[in-house]
Amino acid sequence: MRNSSLFLRSGLTVAAASALSFLVAAGHAEAQSGISVSTTGTTVSVTTRACTNVNGSWGTASLLNSRQANFSQGRQVSLSGTSALQSAAWSNVSAGTYTVIVICSDGTTAGTQSVIVSPSVRPTISATATASPSRGVMGGVGGGSQDYGTLTLVGGGVLVGTAVAGTAWYLRRRTSKPYRL
């Protein structure tokens, strides 16, 4: 009886985990439109698996802003890739809402998806010179190169001791229960 309930609980856990992964996958844009669009900073990229190579071309992707109405008005980029995955990218895209359309070389539309490009905050890079270590690299020392105070060491020891005692208590309590059939 004990083993069957253990398997039942394990099965329910596995079922819940797999259902969660299916829900996450269902929310992905590629499953809905045939294309997947992503942004990184001011770069917009699109990938698809829907196009086939016709006369050396996979197709064309177009990035349309809110004032553009059709494919030919957008920033067009040729798809590149393999039979497994085709992609295109646009760089230096300003903030706003855009529509990405992918048309394969055989004339079929792989998909259409909207994307929002957020205003990017460019990091400020400042260079400061630092002195090199006088004794070179202290390899193998790890965190021991800094001298910690007694209070820090005692606190760490108390945490380790508490963890060991808690583990021993848990294991002893667990093994002291009689087996039931």
Side-chain angles (χ1 to χ4, degrees):
M1 184 68 173
R2 180 180 170 120
N3 287 340
S4 63
S5 65
L6 176 65
F7 288 129
L8 177 64
R9 284 186 292 205
S10 299
L12 291 175
T13 303
V14 169
S18 62
L20 179 62
S21 66
F22 284 127
L23 288 175
V24 170
H28 198 262
E30 187 174 0
Q32 297 170 356
S33 70
I35 64 174
S36 176
V37 180
S38 62
T39 61
T40 304
T42 61
T43 301
V44 176
S45 58
V46 62
T47 58
T48 185
R49 290 181 168 83
C51 296
T52 57
N53 192 336
V54 176
N55 296 328
S57 173
W58 295 102
T60 308
S62 183
L63 180 71
L64 286 73
N65 64 27
S66 59
R67 295 179 304 278
Q68 296 168 327
N70 59 33
F71 185 86
S72 62
Q73 293 175 332
R75 289 173 57 181
Q76 296 181 16
V77 177
S78 295
L79 292 174
S80 61
T82 63
S83 58
L85 186 70
Q86 304 85 44
S87 64
W90 299 268
S91 57
N92 298 323
V93 177
S94 59
T97 302
Y98 295 87
T99 301
V100 176
I101 303 172
V102 175
I103 297 182
C104 298
S105 56
D106 62 0
T108 61
T109 301
T112 302
Q113 185 177 339
S114 294
V115 64
I116 298 173
V117 178
S118 301
S120 63
V121 178
R122 300 195 185 265
T124 304
I125 300 173
S126 61
T128 57
T130 58
S132 57
S134 60
R135 295 183 286 165
V137 177
M138 297 169 58
V141 176
S145 63
Q146 185 176 358
D147 187 22
Y148 291 105
T150 306
L151 183 62
T152 304
L153 295 175
V154 169
V158 167
L159 288 174
V160 169
T162 303
V164 168
T167 302
W169 173 80
Y170 175 76
L171 291 174
R172 184 174 184 275
R173 187 167 181 256
R174 186 172 169 218
T175 58
S176 67
K177 291 182 182 176
Y179 292 105
R180 294 184 215 154
L181 295 178

